[in-house]
């Protein structure tokens, strides 16, 4: 419980406001590249060392060898020495054994090229990733192991070609991830800029991309990711296309970029690395057009960041009232023991109490009581505290919320993990229609916000949303290896938030992942017929009907989606089987 005045001390049942300050949004001067204003005391309090861990830096080459590898190793050792991790450097693929890999939180592929691991070593590395290990790919790591499908999925995209070395503009798409939070909206860099064989945007979360108009030789039709992250088969994968030149590894911004990728891959910091497309910015860092201040207090705007001051009040998006289903995402950071929140579903009004009386607040305050802590629907439902704690970054680091509204259902995701699932049953409130706002809580509370964006359904009736399909033992329906090839096996796997476990049901009877459909192999009907991923084709082999008993039936065959066998571990095949309503045929749908 906080020793300063909390929301509970202001007013019961979802209190929002207590004290007064000046209204509006104040623009402040230019800030350092590392964020919006913070007092030295808050910044010092926020800094906490990671626990000691080890990283393996692997740089074997079977093709072109980059002269910058030595500089890369030196930079990694420097970063480790300053940030509490030890780097073991090797070019010996014999290091890839189950026992040896187990000591490392992350494995860095530093400009590896060609086929660098044999089959046994590949298997050991796959097991390492599936056991929760981290992968960091630097530059030519994308020019590696072309014939190993697991690695192609892990890396996210493979090398196609490159023009001559030159300066390009990097567009920073995610300023909350630890690898990019220190950067501005754009980043001017000199490097060798790879073109890739495929665009990773649909299977990975893009952190930064290239402005192809800023240099010559880009061939990805104007959508050119250059750094990304993803959950993959139980592990974490980060890739950056930079790092060709020796000078890259003495560049402070690039070194910090690498450090953030290593920290995230090693599990030292959290981020939402689910693929993200279709969002429209409401606040992109350039101004607050469409926003209004309600009540006292204000926000400063600097370095693309809104930071609360004074209050209590609320900055709300008056330009649009959201109806139907929508997903709201935004990045936020506390500097210390601070307090704020996101308000949704309230009517237009310059009186912030309308948000309290007619809407809901998603809390930001990790030290308040259970129903008033980060991730809670303030005063109504506590967060799943274990899930919240696993996803929450500490003060001084950025977090990402997704607030998903489906009819009267409100789901809260923190760093890509669901931490709350609430359904409105109050006739005086409705999530189906209303505005959104961010709170400035009080003089002692400093919370910052970036990249407020929304994806709407266009006011269509509520329907199933993308999410996990959970089966027996609370494991998820998973596309093996995150692969997208026709015929890829569907399996059970520990839920990990990866895109290979995100399924959509667009209302046409199909289940879709990775832009393909859940399919009965060959349209068969025999018990044991493989369930696979396949290009959507409108056939009966891709039709699925959820039943009241929690089974999912393929009407064409009259049989059910079934987890094979009786042990149901990671990797258990999903196949077609006669319906019997056993636990391995029960599914919880998004």
């Amino acid at each position: 419980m906080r020793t300063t005045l909390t929301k509970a001390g202001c007013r019961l049942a979802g209190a929002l406001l207590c004290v007064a300050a000046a209204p509006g949004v104040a623009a402040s001067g230019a800030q350092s590249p590392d964020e919006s204003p913070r007092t030295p005391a808050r910044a010092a309090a926020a800094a906490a060392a990671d626990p000691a861990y080890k990283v393996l830096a692997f740089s074997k080459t079977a093709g072109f060898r980059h002269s910058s590898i030595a500089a890369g190793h030196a930079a990694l050792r420097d970063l480790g020495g300053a940030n509490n991790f030890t780097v073991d450097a090797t070019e010996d693929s014999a290091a890839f054994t189950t026992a040896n890999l187990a000591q490392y939180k992350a494995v860095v592929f530093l400009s590896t090229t060609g086929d660098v691991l044999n089959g046994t070593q590949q298997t050991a590395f796959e097991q390492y990733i599936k056991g929760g290990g981290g992968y960091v790919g630097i530059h030519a790591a994308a020019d590696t192991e072309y014939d190993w499908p697991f690695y192609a999925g892990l890396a996210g995209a493979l090398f196609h070609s490159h023009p001559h070395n030159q300066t390009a503009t990097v567009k920073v798409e995610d300023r909350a991830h630890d690898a990019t939070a220190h950067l501005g909206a754009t980043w001017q860099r000199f490097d060798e800029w790879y073109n890739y064989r495929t665009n990773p945007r649909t299977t990975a979360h893009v952190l930064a991309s290239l402005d192809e108009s800023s240099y010559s030789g880009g061939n990805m039709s104007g959508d050119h990711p250059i750094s990304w992250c993803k959950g993959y088969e139980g592990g974490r994968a980060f890739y950056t296309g930079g790092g060709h030149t020796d000078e890259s590894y003495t560049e402070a911004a690039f070194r910090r970029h690498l450090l953030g990728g290593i920290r995230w891959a090693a599990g030292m910091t959290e981020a939402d690395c689910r693929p993200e497309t279709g969002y429209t910015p409401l606040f992109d860092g350039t101004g607050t057009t469409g926003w209004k201040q309600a009540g006292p207090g204000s926000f400063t705007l600097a370095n693309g960041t809104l930071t609360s001051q004074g209050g209590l009040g609320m900055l709300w998006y008056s330009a649009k009232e959201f109806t139907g289903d929508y997903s709201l995402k935004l990045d936020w950071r506390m500097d210390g023991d601070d307090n704020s929140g996101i308000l949704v579903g309230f009517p237009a009004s310059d009186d912030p109490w309308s948000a309290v009386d007619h809407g809901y607040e998603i809390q930001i305050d990790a030290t308040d009581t259970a129903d008033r802590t980060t991730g809670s629907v303030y005063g109504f439902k506590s967060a799943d505290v274990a899930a919240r704690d696993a996803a929450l970054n500490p003060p001084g680091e950025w977090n990402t919320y997704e607030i998903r509204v489906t009819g009267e259902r409100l789901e809260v995701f923190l760093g890509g993990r669901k931490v709350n699932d609430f359904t409105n049953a109050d006739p005086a409130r409705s999530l189906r229609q209303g505005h959104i706002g961010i709170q400035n809580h009080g003089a002692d509370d400093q919370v910052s916000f970036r990249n407020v964006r929304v994806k709407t359904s266009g006011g269509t009736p509520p329907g199933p949303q993308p999410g996990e399909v959970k089966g027996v033992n609370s494991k998820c329906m998973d596309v093996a290896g995150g692969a997208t090839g026709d015929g890829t096996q569907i399996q059970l796997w520990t839920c990990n938030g990866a895109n290979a476990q995100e399924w959509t049901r667009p209302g046409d009877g199909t289940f879709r992942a990775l832009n393909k459909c859940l399919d009965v192999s060959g349209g068969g009907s025999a018990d044991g017929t493989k369930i696979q991923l396949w290009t959507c084709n409108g056939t009966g082999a891709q039709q699925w009907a959820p039943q009241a008993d929690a089974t999912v039936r393929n009407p064409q065959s009259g049989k059910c989606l079934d987890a094979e066998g009786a042990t149901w571990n990671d990797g258990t095949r999903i196949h077609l089987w006669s319906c019997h309503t056993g636990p391995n045929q029960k599914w919880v749908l998004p």
Side-chain angles (χ1 to χ4, degrees):
M1 191 72 180
R2 297 181 61 175
T3 56
T4 55
L5 184 64
T6 67
K7 293 175 183 173
C10 300
R11 183 172 170 184
L12 296 177
L16 173 67
L17 306 174
C18 287
V19 298
V25 176
S28 65
Q31 303 298 317
S32 69
D34 179 43
E35 323 296 354
S36 53
R38 282 187 279 176
T39 66
R42 285 177 178 272
D50 294 332
Y53 61 101
K54 296 180 69 175
V55 169
L56 179 66
F58 181 56
S59 56
K60 181 178 178 180
T61 55
F64 180 83
R65 183 169 184 84
H66 285 73
S67 63
S68 61
I69 287 175
H73 278 304
L76 293 174
R77 289 192 182 96
D78 287 348
L79 289 171
N83 294 279
N84 215 26
F85 62 88
T86 302
V87 176
D88 290 342
T90 187
E91 301 210 342
D92 186 356
S93 55
F96 284 74
T97 67
T98 299
N100 188 56
L101 292 175
Q103 64 183 305
Y104 299 107
K105 289 290 188 181
V107 177
V108 179
F109 277 55
L110 174 59
S111 282
T112 51
T113 55
D115 294 332
V116 291
L117 300 179
N118 65 29
T120 300
Q121 293 156 357
Q122 290 176 355
T123 297
F125 189 54
E126 289 185 18
Q127 292 172 343
Y128 167 78
I129 294 295
K130 291 175 179 179
Y135 162 87
V136 174
I138 301 176
H139 193 56
D143 188 23
T144 301
E145 294 288 355
Y146 290 94
D147 298 324
W148 181 14
F150 180 89
Y151 184 83
L154 181 70
L158 296 178
F159 169 79
H160 176 268
S161 60
H162 66 79
H164 65 276
N165 297 3
Q166 58 195 295
T167 298
T169 298
V170 178
K171 299 178 293 184
V172 181
E173 299 190 22
D174 184 331
R175 296 185 66 205
H177 194 286
D178 195 51
T180 45
H182 64 293
L183 300 170
T186 59
W187 185 19
Q188 300 294 320
R189 290 200 69 246
F190 179 88
D191 216 317
E192 179 183 74
W193 302 112
Y194 278 6
N195 299 308
Y196 300 95
R197 299 184 179 194
T198 57
N199 190 320
R201 190 175 294 277
T202 58
T203 60
H205 179 69
V206 176
L207 302 175
S209 58
L210 293 176
D211 179 354
E212 288 192 333
S213 69
S214 69
Y215 73 106
S216 62
N219 71 357
M220 296 184 69
S221 303
D223 183 14
H224 196 140
I226 197 64
S227 179
W228 52 83
C229 60
K230 63 192 298 187
Y232 188 74
E233 284 291 303
R236 299 183 179 205
F238 167 86
Y239 172 82
T240 180
H244 173 81
T245 67
D246 287 19
E247 292 77 12
S248 293
Y249 297 99
T250 58
E251 179 191 342
F254 185 73
R255 285 165 67 110
R256 184 62 184 83
H257 177 59
L258 291 182
L259 174 62
I262 291 168
R263 290 189 70 230
W264 178 79
M268 298 297 121
T269 188
E270 298 298 322
D272 188 346
C273 282
R274 298 174 298 168
E276 181 178 314
T277 58
Y279 283 80
T280 300
L282 303 183
F283 169 69
D284 63 2
T286 60
T288 54
T289 301
W291 293 82
K292 293 178 67 178
Q293 179 72 25
S298 61
F299 288 80
T300 61
L301 171 56
N303 191 28
T305 304
L306 288 169
T307 302
S308 65
Q309 61 180 13
L312 286 154
M314 175 182 66
L315 186 67
W316 63 288
Y317 192 68
S318 62
K320 181 175 180 178
E321 185 174 35
F322 294 95
T323 60
D325 302 344
Y326 64 91
S327 167
L328 171 68
K329 285 191 176 184
L330 74 169
D331 306 326
W332 58 269
R333 186 199 63 213
M334 297 186 294
D335 281 354
D337 183 11
D338 297 301
N339 196 324
S340 186
I342 317 302
L343 293 117
V344 297
F346 57 89
S349 175
D350 288 327
D351 175 7
W353 285 104
S354 66
V356 174
D357 295 334
H358 301 289
Y360 288 102
E361 179 187 352
I362 312 307
Q363 174 72 314
I364 297 173
D365 182 354
T367 61
D368 215 327
T369 55
D371 64 340
R372 295 167 180 152
T373 188
T374 297
S376 67
V377 180
Y378 184 81
F380 290 89
K381 186 174 182 179
S382 173
D384 178 335
V385 175
R388 191 279 312 277
D389 288 349
L392 182 65
N393 286 324
E397 296 188 21
W398 287 89
N399 289 277
T400 299
Y401 264 159
E402 180 191 2
I403 299 169
R404 185 183 296 173
V405 172
T406 311
E408 296 294 349
R409 182 184 184 189
L410 177 64
E411 297 170 274
V412 181
F413 297 80
L414 176 64
R417 301 190 193 194
K418 184 185 287 191
V419 298
N420 212 326
D421 195 335
F422 170 77
T423 299
N424 171 50
D426 183 350
R429 305 169 193 258
S430 178
L431 290 164
R432 295 176 183 269
Q433 184 171 351
H435 290 267
I436 65 170
I438 58 176
Q439 181 193 73
N440 53 299
H441 184 267
D444 294 330
D445 297 297
Q446 185 169 293
V447 178
S448 299
F449 299 90
R450 283 179 173 171
N451 196 15
V452 184
R453 65 266 195 205
V454 68
K455 180 163 63 175
T456 68
S457 64
T460 56
Q465 297 295 298
E468 298 168 335
V469 176
K470 288 190 176 180
V472 64
N473 292 344
S474 296
K475 292 184 179 290
C476 278
M477 191 163 75
D478 177 281
V479 181
T484 58
D486 284 350
T488 300
Q489 177 70 55
I490 307 301
Q491 61 183 8
L492 280 183
W493 201 270
T494 300
C495 298
N496 54 36
N499 56 286
Q501 296 178 357
E502 183 166 287
W503 295 88
T504 59
R505 296 164 53 207
D508 59 359
T510 63
F511 282 52
R512 303 188 182 210
L514 306 177
N515 295 318
K516 291 194 173 182
C517 280
L518 188 71
D519 180 279
V520 180
S521 179
S525 60
D527 283 351
T529 300
K530 176 184 180 182
I531 300 298
Q532 61 188 5
L533 197 70
W534 199 271
T535 301
C536 298
N537 54 31
T539 66
Q542 298 179 353
Q543 291 293 300
W544 301 95
Q547 306 295 304
D549 60 6
T551 63
V552 177
R553 191 177 300 241
N554 172 239
Q556 177 173 275
S557 65
K559 294 191 174 181
C560 282
L561 203 62
D562 179 284
E564 184 180 46
T567 53
W568 310 310
N569 296 317
D570 283 352
T572 295
R573 295 173 66 252
I574 295 174
H575 61 188
L576 198 69
W577 202 267
S578 299
C579 298
H580 54 66
T581 71
N584 58 323
Q585 292 189 348
K586 303 276 190 180
W587 304 93
V588 178
L589 305 182

